């Protein structure tokens, strides 16, 4: 099987924001749960400013974690993390970079109707006083629902109407293949049809990229396949060893740092995903690269340190 799945002011003062947001909620201009969303978490990196937004979180079966691991060992690792039930609730956190006049959003979240606890990016942007119309570039790590389905509304209206859209060519070619819907099992069809719908919606404003290409301000495409055939990450030059927008290379910052060889059930090509994970974590540990993980506990910013033959996640201060 090819893959498995189911499914402006930038540095606004937090207290001022809370007061302002409270008034907006009272006036009905912001949803009541706007304050329940995490963030925004903002930091400077070299010449750019990075903001981690929240699309909420997902609710997924715990059985996705390490189907190839020793069950007792997996259970011990999860129990130590406080995960004792049959569900995990990973965060979903798109990153936004301001570089000069560019406002660059990495992934669009899951949009409405995917899961009740996700699809909150618009609220998160409103809370950060960022107008979706001000986003100049939307860049995708991959075309899974939780990264792509926030792209357009029913009818095709784009959430980010003025943006140019950047998709890794290998990812575009895989998902937009007209024969794909006929090749996948029935339960995967909604995901494929959704990917074709949202990718189709940006067709007129599309830039297909390949590994090594520059998005803006020295930000380049990294080839990180495995989770999906054309999964991409993004290297952002700057302080120290730079920074990598990881996407879904390592979907838990404790489990997959300690056990990069463990599979994640949604990884399309599991051995390729393991090879990518090991390569990027090795590079990150060697070069002291700051990492931003889409599904890590919010805000999901930190470093990989060597720990025996594997790694440990050290949150950035
Ligand atoms: Zn994901």
């Amino acid at each position: 099987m090819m893959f498995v799945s189911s499914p402006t002011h930038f540095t606004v003062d937090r207290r001022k924001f809370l007061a302002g947001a409270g008034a907006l909620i009272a006036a009905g201009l912001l949803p009541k749960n706007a304050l329940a969303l995490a963030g925004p978490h903002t930091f400077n990196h070299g010449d750019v400013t990075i903001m981690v937004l929240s699309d909420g979180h997902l609710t997924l079966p715990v059985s996705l974690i390490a189907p190839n691991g020793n069950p007792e060992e997996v259970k011990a690792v999860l129990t130590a993390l406080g995960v004792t039930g049959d569900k995990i609730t990973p965060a979903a956190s798109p990153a936004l970079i301001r570089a000069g006049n560019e406002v660059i959003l990495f992934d669009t979240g899951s949009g409405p109707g995917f899961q009740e606890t996700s699809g909150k990016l618009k609220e998160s942007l409103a809370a950060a006083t960022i107008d979706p119309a001000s986003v100049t570039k939307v860049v995708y790590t991959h075309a899974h629902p939780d990264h792509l389905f926030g792209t357009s509304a029913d009818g095709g209206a784009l959430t980010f109407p003025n943006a140019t859209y950047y998709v890794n060519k290998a990812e575009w070619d895989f998902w937009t293949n007209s024969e794909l819907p006929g090749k996948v099992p029935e339960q995967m069809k909604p995901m494929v049809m959704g990917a074709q719908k949202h990718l189709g919606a940006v067709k007129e404003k599309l830039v297909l990229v390949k590994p090594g290409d520059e998005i803006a301000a020295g930000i380049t495409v990294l080839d990180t396949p495995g989770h999906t055939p054309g999964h991409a990450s993004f290297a952002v030059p700057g302080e120290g060893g730079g920074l990598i927008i990881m996407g879904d290379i390592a979907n838990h910052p404790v489990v997959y740092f300690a056990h990069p060889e463990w599979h994640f059930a949604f990884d399309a090509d599991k051995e390729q995903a393991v090879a990518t994970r090991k390569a990027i974590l090795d590079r990150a540990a060697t070069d002291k690269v700051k990492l931003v993980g889409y599904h890590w506990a919010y805000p999901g910013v930190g470093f990989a340190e060597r720990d025996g033959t594997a790694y440990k996640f050290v949150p950035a201060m």
Side-chain angles (χ1 to χ4, degrees):
M1 194 175 351
M2 284 179 296
F3 64 91
V4 178
S5 187
S6 67
T8 155
H9 194 56
F10 212 57
T11 49
V12 60
D13 175 78
R14 174 107 188 139
R15 218 165 45 196
K16 222 155 61 188
F17 155 67
L18 288 172
L24 290 172
I25 289 167
L29 296 173
L30 267 183
K32 283 196 184 63
N33 61 354
L35 290 179
L37 283 168
H41 174 84
T42 304
F43 59 98
N44 293 320
H45 174 79
D47 295 335
V48 306
T49 308
I50 300 184
M51 174 181 277
V52 183
L53 297 156
S54 175
D55 193 47
H57 69 268
L58 305 177
T59 305
L60 299 171
V62 73
S63 57
L64 296 175
I65 302 265
N68 65 327
N70 172 308
E72 278 172 22
E73 204 181 344
V74 175
K75 196 175 171 198
V77 167
L78 290 171
T79 303
L81 292 168
V83 179
T84 52
D86 59 356
K87 296 277 189 286
I88 48 171
T89 54
S93 313
L96 183 140
I97 295 184
R98 271 191 202 276
N101 292 327
E102 302 287 359
V103 180
I104 310 165
L105 176 66
F106 293 83
D107 294 336
T108 59
S110 65
F114 180 62
Q115 289 196 341
E116 218 167 277
T117 54
S118 70
K120 316 291 185 197
L121 178 58
K122 271 173 144 175
E123 293 153 32
S124 193
L125 286 164
T129 64
I130 295 173
D131 181 352
S134 71
V135 172
T136 58
K137 300 184 182 213
V138 170
V139 182
Y140 295 102
T141 60
H142 63 297
H144 275 165
D146 51 320
H147 300 256
L148 171 73
F149 285 13
T151 298
S152 63
D154 287 344
L158 296 175
T159 310
F160 305 97
N162 298 319
T164 302
Y165 293 77
Y166 292 76
V167 184
N168 191 20
K169 186 173 185 304
E171 189 73 351
W172 177 271
D173 288 348
F174 175 78
W175 290 100
T176 60
N177 181 341
S178 60
E179 290 174 13
L180 186 61
K183 282 184 181 168
V184 299
E186 199 59 38
Q187 73 269 23
M188 292 182 196
K189 277 194 182 141
M191 182 177 65
V192 173
M193 301 310 287
Q196 295 195 342
K197 180 179 102 172
H198 290 282
L199 290 175
V202 305
K203 211 173 169 184
E204 306 299 320
K205 313 179 94 185
L206 177 71
V207 177
L208 289 178
V209 294
K210 57 183 193 316
D213 284 357
E214 182 176 341
I215 303 294
I219 300 168
T220 54
V221 182
L222 290 177
D223 191 21
T224 53
H227 184 64
T228 59
H231 185 281
S233 304
F234 299 90
V236 186
E239 299 148 27
L243 177 146
I244 293 177
I245 307 277
M246 296 282 278
D248 283 10
I249 292 176
N251 269 342
H252 194 290
V254 176
V255 176
Y256 292 105
F257 277 56
H259 291 277
E261 78 284 5
W262 279 357
H263 293 166
F264 181 64
F266 283 175
D267 289 341
D269 182 331
K270 295 184 176 52
E271 288 310 317
Q272 183 156 50
V274 167
T276 288
R277 188 148 57 235
K278 285 181 171 173
I280 294 290
L281 290 178
D282 182 69
R283 169 178 168 175
T286 301
D287 296 345
K288 298 190 170 30
V289 180
K290 191 178 268 190
L291 305 173
V292 180
Y294 193 84
H295 291 299
W296 301 347
Y298 189 89
V301 182
F303 298 90
E305 272 184 12
R306 272 180 225 291
D307 186 14
T309 57
Y311 306 90
K312 70 171 185 244
F313 177 70
V314 181
M317 287 299 125

